[in-house]
Amino acid sequence: MCVQSRLFRIGFALSLCVALGCSFEVSREARKPPWVEFMHADQLIGWLDTSRVRARSASRIEVPLGLEFPFGAPVPGDTARHFTRMEWLVRVDCAAKSMSDEGFTVFDSAGANVGHWRGESTWMPIQQHPSGTTVEWACRKLSDLAFTPRKA
C-alpha cells in the first residue's frame, strides 16, 4: 500500500472525527511540559513538543506532533493490529496555510513500533492534506502560545 493511501486512511479517520462533532476542548494536562495539548476528542488527543519545534526559515517551522488514539486504530494495511500513538513530523507555514508531510511512526499500546511511513515532503495547502485539520489545530495552539521556535 502506498504512503499516500496510508495517509489518506489516517486523514480520513481524523476528518471523520471532526465531521462527527468531536469537540476540541482544552483538557487536563496529561503530559508535562514541554508537551502542550492542542486538540482533544474521545477518539483522538493531539500534543506538540515545544522543545522540538524548529524554525527552518522566517515563516516555516518543523513541528513534531504526538497523536494518541485512546481506543486504538487499525494499522494501515494490517487491520489485525492496532496502534494507540502516532509520532508525526510536519513542516508548516501557518501564516501561508501550507505544509509538508515528512512522515510518521505508529506505536501499539505497549510502545512497540508497528510501522513507519515516509511523507511526500511536498509543500501543499494544509486543506489539501488528508490530515490538514489536525495541522490547523496545531497552528492555532502555537499562535495562542505566541510561540517562537528555535532556529534549526
Side-chain angles (χ1 to χ4, degrees), residues 13-27 37-46 67-68 133-138 140-141 144:
L14 296 174
S15 298
L16 183 61
C17 181
V18 172
L20 292 175
C22 298
S23 62
F24 298 100
E25 305 167 359
V26 175
S27 68
E37 185 178 292
F38 67 89
M39 67 189 301
H40 189 104
D42 291 340
Q43 301 89 356
L44 176 67
I45 303 166
L67 302 175
E68 296 174 2
T133 302
T134 303
V135 176
E136 284 183 324
W137 280 97
R140 288 179 190 160
K141 187 61 171 186
D144 291 348

Side-chain angles (χ1 to χ4, degrees), residues 34-36 47-53 63-66 147:
W35 288 96
V36 175
W47 298 89
L48 56 94
D49 181 351
T50 58
S51 71
R52 293 175 27 210
V53 176
V63 183
L65 302 176
F147 184 76

Side-chain angles (χ1 to χ4, degrees), residues 4 25 49 54 70-71 79 82-83 90 118 131 148 151:
Q4 191 171 20
E25 305 167 359
D49 181 351
R54 299 287 184 260
F71 300 108
T79 56
H82 287 75
F83 65 92
V90 295
R118 289 187 152 278
S131 300
T148 304
K151 293 198 182 221

Side-chain angles (χ1 to χ4, degrees), residues 103-117:
F104 63 91
T105 304
V106 292
F107 303 88
D108 65 17
S109 59
N113 179 331
V114 294
H116 175 77
W117 294 271

Side-chain angles (χ1 to χ4, degrees), residues 1 4 10 14 19 21 25 43 45 48 62 67 85-86 91 93 97 100 133 135-136 139 142 145-146 149:
M1 180 178 295
Q4 191 171 20
I10 290 175
L14 296 174
E25 305 167 359
Q43 301 89 356
I45 303 166
L48 56 94
E62 188 172 272
L67 302 175
R85 184 171 58 92
M86 180 171 105
R91 291 187 179 179
D93 183 334
K97 298 185 184 221
S100 172
T133 302
V135 176
E136 284 183 324
C139 282
L142 288 168
L145 295 171

